[in-house]
Amino acid sequence: MQSNTSNIQKSAREDRYQHHDYYGIDELLSEEHLLAREATRQWVKSEVSPIIEAYADRAECPTHLFKGLAEIGAYGPSLPAKYGCGGMDEIAYGIIMSELERGDSGIRSMASVQGSLVMYPIYKYGSEEQRMKYLPKLASGELIGCFGLTEPDYGSNPSDMITNIKDDGDAYILNGAKMWITNSPVADIAVVWAKDEAGIIRGLIVERGMKGFTAPEIHGKWSLRASITGELVFEDVRVPKSNLLPNVQGLKGPLGCLSKARYGIAWGAIGAALDCYDSALRYSQERIQFGKPIGGFQLTQKKLAEMITEITKAQLLAWRLGTLANNGKATPAQISMAKRNNVHMALEIAREARQIHGGMGITNEYPVMRHMMNLETVLTYEGTHDIHLLITGMDVTGFNAFK
Amino acid sequence: MKILVCVSKTPDTTAKISFNADNTEFQSAGVQYIMNPYDEWYALVRALELKETLGGTVTLINVGTADDEQVIRKGLAIGGDDAVRIDAAPKSALFVAKQISAHAKSAGYDLIMLGKETIDYNGSEVGAMVAEYMDMPYVSYATKLDIAGSTATLMRDIEGGEEEIEVDLPFVLSAAKGMAEQRIPNMRGIMMAKSKPIQVIPAVPFEDLSVVTSYELPKAKSGVKLVQPENMDELVRLLHEEAKVI
């Protein structure tokens, strides 16, 4: 792959990350999994690590990386090769997400929105014509997509959405607004969920340039600063009927996509946790206080030992979930459990790692505070920490406690 | 154009290096391995570029055990057509060169490429030894390679400058930084590599001429000493007594 980023200023600071596999989980992985990991890690080390602190500092999305993510095959890697995708299994997809998030949760978000929330619904719910029209261009990064479900007044409760479509001959008239949409200001297409006149949720592919469609950027985020986030605003947008996703009706459409994305996040968060642990472990071996490395003190060891224990548990959870997903057996509730557990685990590790780094931990000389701030978003997007708990609660008791 | 690229497996650049109790063997437990970067980034990628412009095939050869197949698959994922693995632990440079040449002798390659050295033992010996066994010309530390017809033009770094060389095919070359840019395999390439053939052949009998008696790690670097600007006497004393440079 030729580097197309020669005009991008790169930091000379070295990414010294080394993989941590305390329980020999690599032995459960195939050659293609290990290669996918190596390739993604190599790409992150050469393209993401040298620039990410500067972009996060400026709250700017490194949009040149959209193309690079396409070149390594990070968009829809588990969708069929026929559509320009990787044709890999779900564990490979998870591993790619983990390696990307090892670099930055925002970079992982760029890829997981494109793959799980745009390409997956077109593949799963679209017509063959829609698949052939959009998927190869989305896989190659020629088109960038976003996903519109959440609204300003409807987050955890999407079924009460007010965005709607009305039949108008050969088109639908779309009205409403979506909020917190990753990639929206730079997206060429948006997969949008709206209610029809019967109150049934339907999915549509809305294209940039359609009259009445705008995507203003949301500013002022202290988290996912290298990822671009915006709104989707629809004022009497005429969307051709051929852009309706024909094969799904109701909330199960968007929730099916979210399951796919949450699955990727369950893996992705492990990457952020590993990067924090890796940095903290190295710092604890190099930082001398009271005449010895701080890693020699019991309280530092407690932190590090608990970190690698939690990471190992999360890795096993993700691996088992991946095995279930490969056999088409992973339930939404199982995915909720892994997303909730692993993101919370990563956020706690980021906080502990920050303490080990002392004052250095709050600077962008080290990646931990950036990961910590990113994970605050990951904790509540794609289903909040609390809602996922209630999904598990409902699954085991049979009672719905969130409405 | 039929190109053979020799690839070896080396510890990752971030791996912690240690030896067994009597310092005769590298401790491989827990070490992550990669394809030797000089083989991969320079030799293999330039071979693939030549194939893309001139046509032909790129075959990988590796002397190693089944553990090396992940490294070979990566080469196939980047774009190699097929691979040969000589099923034996690579004991020494001479052993490796003997095995590579035993395969290459009858295979009719136009060009045999490898990295200028491996990043583990840094021997820089295999290329010259293969050329000798094959009775072919050898160009070491090449930074640029172009081929027109049956003639190759190469640049190589020499002390204080560069040297331009012309050589007729077939020949052996070792590639240095500058020859090509790193390529990262993509997911489709990784999946396609699964169906590319790796031919496993037994090693030819060979008696090694040397054995390693022991390894030693370099001494840990001492920390930086700061001397205040007004304390010139102390600086001179340190340079004289500790650094022993004046």
Side-chain angles (χ1 to χ4, degrees):
Chain A
M1 187 177 73
Q2 294 294 313
S3 171
N4 57 359
T5 62
S6 53
N7 56 341
I8 305 295
Q9 202 172 356
K10 290 188 174 181
S11 158
R13 195 187 307 144
E14 196 191 352
D15 176 355
R16 292 155 77 194
Y17 178 77
Q18 210 186 343
H19 189 59
H20 302 276
D21 178 21
Y22 199 75
Y23 256 39
I25 298 164
D26 279 6
E27 287 175 25
L28 300 169
L29 303 177
S30 70
E31 213 166 56
E32 81 200 53
H33 297 147
L34 298 173
L35 275 174
R37 184 173 75 197
E38 188 185 338
T40 314
R41 184 173 303 161
Q42 204 178 339
W43 183 79
V44 166
K45 282 196 174 188
S46 74
E47 303 298 321
V48 178
S49 303
I51 57 110
I52 192 64
E53 298 296 351
Y55 277 85
D57 187 41
R58 296 197 298 267
E60 182 186 339
C61 176
T63 49
H64 65 280
L65 295 183
F66 277 116
K67 195 74 192 161
L69 285 163
E71 281 168 3
I72 61 165
Y75 298 145
S78 59
L79 297 180
K82 176 183 170 190
Y83 305 111
C85 304
M88 304 182 108
D89 70 4
E90 297 301 330
I91 291 180
Y93 166 60
I95 285 171
I96 295 165
M97 293 301 116
S98 185
E99 285 302 316
L100 292 177
E101 194 145 0
R102 210 277 303 168
D104 188 81
S105 303
I107 305 301
R108 196 267 304 139
S109 297
M110 287 161 78
S112 59
V113 166
Q114 180 91 342
S116 296
L117 298 180
V118 180
M119 294 169 72
Y120 177 75
I122 293 172
Y123 169 69
K124 186 81 178 167
Y125 310 131
S127 64
E128 185 61 21
E129 197 186 350
Q130 288 169 335
R131 292 173 176 182
M132 293 310 290
K133 180 177 176 188
Y134 294 107
L135 292 180
K137 287 182 179 172
L138 288 161
S140 70
E142 192 182 333
L143 291 179
I144 296 302
C146 66
F147 173 91
L149 175 65
T150 296
E151 299 188 354
D153 293 327
Y154 298 96
S156 293
N157 175 23
S159 55
D160 284 350
M161 68 170 67
I162 48 181
T163 299
N164 62 85
I165 49 173
K166 289 194 170 56
D167 200 314
D168 187 41
D170 59 351
Y172 294 104
I173 306 297
L174 173 66
N175 276 289
K178 300 289 182 180
M179 187 86 174
W180 304 119
I181 311 301
T182 300
N183 294 352
S184 86
V186 296
D188 303 290
I189 66 167
V191 170
V192 176
W193 301 92
K195 279 185 179 166
D196 66 12
E197 284 150 296
I200 296 167
I201 293 173
R202 303 300 306 261
L204 302 108
I205 302 165
V206 182
E207 296 178 25
R208 173 183 285 273
M210 286 181 172
K211 197 162 169 268
F213 170 35
T214 53
E217 186 175 349
I218 295 170
H219 294 283
K221 294 179 298 166
W222 285 117
S223 178
L224 296 184
R225 288 169 64 82
S227 163
I228 191 162
T229 314
E231 301 171 47
L232 298 172
V233 182
F234 312 107
E235 289 174 274
D236 292 326
V237 182
R238 270 184 73 85
V239 183
K241 280 192 172 165
S242 59
N243 283 30
L244 183 84
L245 297 176
N247 300 327
V248 75
Q249 295 191 9
L251 197 59
K252 68 173 185 288
L255 292 188
C257 309
L258 289 176
S259 278
K260 189 90 177 158
R262 289 165 180 171
Y263 169 86
I265 293 169
W267 280 87
I270 298 170
L274 279 168
D275 203 40
C276 293
Y277 168 74
D278 180 74
S279 184
L281 178 63
R282 192 174 307 108
Y283 191 81
S284 79
Q285 290 161 338
E286 291 172 356
R287 171 73 172 167
I288 311 286
Q289 285 292 284
F290 304 103
K292 65 177 184 182
I294 60 170
F297 292 98
Q298 286 187 351
L299 288 177
T300 310
Q301 289 191 5
K302 177 179 188 288
K303 290 185 178 73
L304 291 165
E306 286 178 350
M307 283 183 199
I308 192 63
T309 306
E310 291 306 314
I311 287 170
T312 302
K313 284 152 72 178
Q315 286 171 325
L316 286 165
L317 199 62
W319 174 81
R320 177 61 190 151
L321 186 69
T323 307
L324 288 168
N326 278 346
N327 296 321
K329 286 199 223 159
T331 66
Q334 286 170 328
I335 294 169
S336 284
M337 180 187 279
K339 189 269 183 186
R340 180 177 188 274
N341 181 79
N342 290 7
V343 175
H344 187 251
M345 171 282 302
L347 181 56
E348 290 296 311
I349 283 176
R351 288 172 177 158
E352 293 288 302
R354 210 295 291 162
Q355 283 194 58
I356 290 175
H357 287 80
M360 292 310 291
I362 69 162
T363 71
N364 63 9
E365 287 294 308
Y366 294 87
V368 286
M369 189 100 180
R370 177 171 47 80
H371 282 306
M372 188 205 297
M373 295 197 299
N374 284 341
L375 288 162
E376 287 290 349
T377 297
V378 184
L379 190 72
T380 58
Y381 80 1
E382 312 264 350
T384 69
H385 189 63
D386 288 344
I387 289 287
H388 284 302
L389 177 90
L390 296 180
I391 289 171
T392 307
M394 181 171 74
D395 198 46
V396 297
T397 65
F399 302 119
N400 180 345
F402 50 86
K403 59 180 176 185
Chain B
M1 188 78 180
K2 202 173 160 188
I3 307 175
L4 181 70
V5 179
C6 313
V7 297
S8 51
K9 186 184 80 168
T10 57
D12 194 353
T13 48
T14 56
K16 288 214 165 57
I17 304 300
S18 62
F19 301 101
N20 64 354
D22 58 357
N23 286 324
T24 53
E25 220 171 277
F26 173 61
Q27 290 279 76
S28 61
V31 171
Q32 300 263 328
Y33 286 94
I34 57 172
M35 190 190 299
N36 177 41
Y38 290 106
D39 297 339
E40 179 188 337
W41 298 358
Y42 307 126
L44 174 58
V45 175
R46 186 63 192 138
L48 295 171
E49 289 171 354
L50 290 172
K51 180 187 114 169
E52 283 154 14
T53 52
L54 304 171
T57 56
V58 172
T59 300
L60 307 174
I61 187 165
N62 165 273
V63 180
T65 55
D67 291 344
D68 286 23
E69 290 206 0
Q70 193 195 326
V71 159
I72 299 171
R73 285 280 174 219
K74 185 181 184 190
L76 296 173
I78 295 172
D81 295 287
D82 59 354
V84 175
R85 180 170 68 81
I86 314 289
D87 192 20
K91 284 177 277 191
S92 69
L94 195 61
F95 175 82
V96 170
K98 176 74 187 173
Q99 303 305 328
I100 291 170
S101 54
H103 159 77
K105 266 220 158 107
S106 57
Y109 294 106
D110 300 302
L111 181 58
I112 299 176
M113 300 174 74
L114 37 62
K116 69 164 182 159
E117 62 185 339
T118 49
I119 62 164
D120 46 11
Y121 297 97
N122 303 84
S124 287
E125 294 167 343
V126 174
M129 290 172 175
V130 170
E132 179 62 24
Y133 275 130
M134 302 286 294
D135 198 19
M136 281 183 185
Y138 175 57
V139 181
S140 62
Y141 302 97
T143 55
K144 198 165 178 289
L145 163 67
D146 289 300
I147 292 175
S150 61
T151 306
T153 310
L154 299 106
M155 298 297 285
R156 61 188 297 273
D157 285 337
I158 55 171
E159 194 65 39
E162 279 187 313
E163 183 178 54
E164 188 176 317
I165 288 181
E166 256 187 32
V167 59
D168 285 338
L169 302 176
F171 67 101
V172 181
L173 84 87
S174 79
K177 188 176 177 180
M179 176 71 82
E181 294 273 334
Q182 168 186 9
R183 276 189 195 188
I184 298 173
N186 64 29
M187 300 311 151
R188 293 196 71 176
I190 289 170
M191 294 307 278
M192 277 155 65
K194 283 170 74 173
S195 55
K196 292 180 179 175
I198 300 178
Q199 187 195 348
V200 181
I201 53 179
V204 292
F206 180 74
E207 190 121 350
D208 236 323
L209 302 177
S210 60
V211 284
V212 175
T213 46
S214 78
Y215 294 103
E216 201 175 308
L217 286 172
K219 282 199 179 71
K221 284 182 189 153
S222 58
V224 173
K225 280 195 176 145
L226 289 174
V227 180
Q228 296 300 320
E230 60 271 18
N231 203 352
M232 287 306 288
D233 291 347
E234 175 65 3
L235 179 64
V236 171
R237 188 192 70 75
L238 286 170
L239 290 172
H240 182 64
E241 290 176 16
E242 289 197 13
K244 296 192 168 101
V245 291
I246 56 171

